Amino acid sequence: MQTSRAALLSPVEFGDIHCRNRIVMAPMTRSRADANDCPTALHVEYYAQRASAGLIVTEGVQPSIDGKGYPRTPGLHEAAQVEAWRRVTDAVHARGGRIVAQLMHVGRIASRYNKRAEARTVAPCAVRANVSLYTDTAGMQPCDDPEPLSIADIVKVIEDYASAARLAREAGFDGVELHCTSGYLPMQFLASNTNLRSDAYGGDTSRRTRFVIETLEALVATIGAGRVGFRICPANPFNDVVDFEPLDTYRCLLEAVRPLRCAYLHVIRSPLSTIDAFALARAHHDSALIINDGYEPDTAAAAVTQGLSDAVSFGRHYVSNPDLVERIEAGAALAVFDRKTLYTPGARGYTDYAALGSATPGGAPQ
Ligand SMILES: Cc1cc2nc3c(=O)[nH]c(=O)nc-3n(C[C@H](O)[C@H](O)[C@H](O)COP(=O)(O)O)c2cc1C
């Protein structure tokens, strides 16, 4: 029996963020920022086109020059970036939408070809990732050898996150989401093969989780718990991370941050069949829960109806369906996205996917 999609269309609150439906746009790096790591007029159009989502989580945004790893990703550490993001948030708010900035520090998943000359590549330890990255100027490149973070460096990185959260609010964002998945810096602290430290930030689970706990505490102290969410994917091996005890790691992390009462937890299904990441999240987290990974409108509606989550996020469907909410409401077919233009500069494959019943210049890619 087809579950009513209406379950996805009722309002929901993520802490202090009031959303008109339970359809969340998942964060997606699209590599369209300008040479100063600023979002452009294309970003304004792209996010405005998708503003009917209950909540938009932006592409990963670096909180510092060191936090950048990929080409053409935007930042939130300079005044020009704040001004540029304000045009995005204004456009989304003018259409009744809500938008949070995803704070993404890549740590060791970086190439010097993709970042400013003075930027460092840092990680919990000097262990290079066995990963290659695309660069605009030198094609595919191995990741840099990372410099291990000193305790003073860690304090500074956490300050950078907090500063980015303050700037996010200045830019008009409704809040921020801390990116703790996909083998980037927070996960490099959480995972066993990337965190070989023997100080207060490495060792047993309580120490490996400390960096993420302190970062969340700093974000909450800066903009309030009701505007801070975080994203996890227990045991995700992407970008060469291995956690030998993922259940313990994430239980420990969730219990430690539980008293903070963050606005929401955004959890991706675990690739390990032995871990039910959604059940783990429900058992160890009290506020709103957003689930993600391969959802279709009907499976998402069923998940919300059954009380498995408060909301569901969609990634790939949002690439090619700017009006995903309206399509779900109408029971309309979903358009297919073009993989080749996911990360290419320009409007093609970015802002030229048509909404239902409207023609786009140049036509939507198939
Ligand atoms: C093009 C692309 C870029 C992505 N970039 C990010 C990102 O910046 N931050 C993040 O947390 N996840 C990122 N993801 C993962 C998505 O948020 C989402 O978890 C994934 O696509 C699975 O959801 P889906 O099945 O609805 O597509 C990206 C996914 C895609 C397809």
Side-chain angles (χ1 to χ4, degrees), residues 14-235:
F14 301 135
D16 296 337
I17 309 171
H18 309 283
C19 303
R20 58 185 163 186
N21 62 58
R22 295 161 189 264
I23 297 166
V24 174
M25 177 174 164
M28 282 184 292
T29 292
R30 302 300 310 276
S31 289
R32 261 85 174 178
D34 72 14
N36 298 315
D37 300 346
C38 290
T40 68
L42 272 185
H43 288 76
V44 178
E45 189 182 352
Y46 169 76
Y47 285 115
Q49 287 172 341
R50 288 154 180 77
S52 61
L55 180 69
I56 293 173
V57 185
T58 67
E59 62 208 278
V61 175
Q62 56 264 7
S64 64
I65 59 170
D66 296 350
K68 185 178 183 188
Y70 295 98
R72 291 169 270 111
T73 57
L76 245 178
H77 49 84
E78 289 172 357
Q81 295 158 357
V82 174
E83 287 312 306
W85 278 117
R86 187 173 294 118
R87 288 190 276 278
V88 172
T89 61
D90 281 350
V92 169
H93 289 151
R95 288 161 181 75
R98 297 286 179 268
I99 181 165
V100 297
Q102 190 189 50
L103 302 183
M104 168 171 160
H105 189 311
V106 296
R108 68 179 192 152
I109 305 300
S111 162
R112 64 184 187 281
Y113 291 99
N114 287 336
K115 57 208 310 191
R116 296 186 195 170
E118 67 272 30
R120 301 164 69 199
T121 293
V122 295
C125 295
V127 182
R128 192 171 64 79
N130 189 16
V131 170
S132 294
L133 294 179
Y134 174 78
T135 71
D136 281 335
T137 50
M140 295 305 290
Q141 288 290 323
C143 283
D144 297 342
D145 281 310
E147 288 177 54
L149 289 162
S150 67
I151 297 284
D153 289 334
I154 290 176
V155 171
K156 175 70 171 67
V157 171
I158 294 174
E159 279 171 13
D160 289 341
Y161 273 114
S163 165
R166 186 175 48 74
L167 295 178
R169 290 291 286 150
E170 275 178 35
F173 282 106
D174 297 287
V176 299
E177 175 177 292
L178 180 66
H179 190 342
C180 307
T181 81
S182 311
Y184 301 126
L185 186 65
M187 202 164 181
Q188 289 159 30
F189 273 95
L190 294 173
S192 337
N193 75 322
T194 44
N195 186 344
L196 309 176
R197 299 176 73 102
S198 53
D199 63 5
Y201 291 91
D204 62 15
T205 50
S206 72
R207 288 191 246 179
R208 278 188 279 115
T209 52
R210 181 169 170 179
F211 174 80
V212 175
I213 296 165
E214 290 186 357
T215 303
L216 280 172
E217 285 171 349
L219 296 176
V220 165
T222 306
I223 62 170
R227 298 193 178 277
V228 175
F230 63 112
R231 188 171 214 221
I232 59 169
C233 181

Side-chain angles (χ1 to χ4, degrees), residues 180 190 205 209 212-213 216 230-234 246-262 264-267 276-286 289:
C180 307
L190 294 173
T205 50
T209 52
V212 175
I213 296 165
L216 280 172
F230 63 112
R231 188 171 214 221
I232 59 169
C233 181
L247 257 185
D248 286 347
T249 303
Y250 286 89
R251 257 195 226 121
C252 177
L253 173 66
L254 293 178
E255 281 304 324
V257 300
R258 199 170 192 163
L260 292 177
R261 299 199 60 81
C262 287
Y264 68 83
L265 171 61
H266 193 174
V267 58
D276 181 344
F278 301 157
L280 181 77
R282 281 194 303 278
H284 300 283
H285 176 79
D286 303 309
L289 187 63

